[in-house]
Amino acid sequence: KVIAEIDPDIILLQEVEDRGSLEDFNEEFLPEMGCSPFDEIFVVQGNDYRGQEMAIMTKRGFKLRSIQTHVHDRNRHGNPLFNKDLLVYEVKTPSGTTCHLISAFFQERWSNMDSTDLIRKDQAIRTAEVYQGLQEDGKSNIAIAGTLNDVSYSDCLSPLLRGTDLRDITKHPS
């Protein structure tokens, strides 16, 4: 209902069961809610073995140009850094502008909070590097969205919100 009410041009999704379910949601459920379906759907399989994938859907002339995955990024112990993935989508708007959307899913909290805090901080550091790399390549119109699994003032997220020019959306004047 929220998606139908907002009727976005682009939506990033996490914990998608599978492409077939997402197609059904797009073609059957959204129109029942009064929302036009999305034109393009792309589902990316990540590191999650439970079948919780990531996806992007676009409509109204917004075109997915490229996807960069960080599924193979490793932590200092040689294990996958991201539980699902860190994806960078390049989307061309109908006006010809290009935007870069970074879809992040950071470590969920476990009973050992210190351990998960360290994992999230490493994920934030890598995400900040990806963001800054896009800027160094002359890219603009960059947004990071997703599930960071912590409050914006957390030390775990400081590499993103204090170590870059990124700002929490709740701080935006509009």
Side-chain angles (χ1 to χ4, degrees), residues 114-130:
D114 292 340
S115 173
T116 57
D117 286 350
L118 290 173
I119 294 168
R120 273 194 307 285
K121 189 156 193 176
D122 286 347
Q123 292 170 331
I125 289 168
R126 181 65 182 127
T127 304
E129 291 170 352
V130 169

Side-chain angles (χ1 to χ4, degrees), residues 39-52:
D39 301 324
E40 293 184 1
I41 296 175
F42 196 84
V43 178
V44 180
Q45 184 176 5
N47 286 327
D48 189 279
Y49 298 111
R50 299 171 292 170
Q52 297 179 343

Side-chain angles (χ1 to χ4, degrees), residues 96-159:
T97 303
T98 299
C99 59
H100 294 83
L101 307 171
I102 300 173
S103 180
F105 190 100
F106 287 4
Q107 177 65 50
E108 297 136 321
R109 289 192 176 272
W110 297 333
S111 58
N112 182 351
M113 299 257 285
D114 292 340
S115 173
T116 57
D117 286 350
L118 290 173
I119 294 168
R120 273 194 307 285
K121 189 156 193 176
D122 286 347
Q123 292 170 331
I125 289 168
R126 181 65 182 127
T127 304
E129 291 170 352
V130 169
Y131 170 75
Q132 290 167 328
L134 288 169
Q135 288 182 312
E136 289 168 6
D137 289 344
K139 311 293 188 217
S140 59
N141 304 314
I142 306 167
I144 297 175
T147 305
L148 305 183
N149 280 312
D150 218 329
V151 294
S152 63
Y153 52 83
S154 163
D155 181 58
C156 299
L157 301 184
S158 64

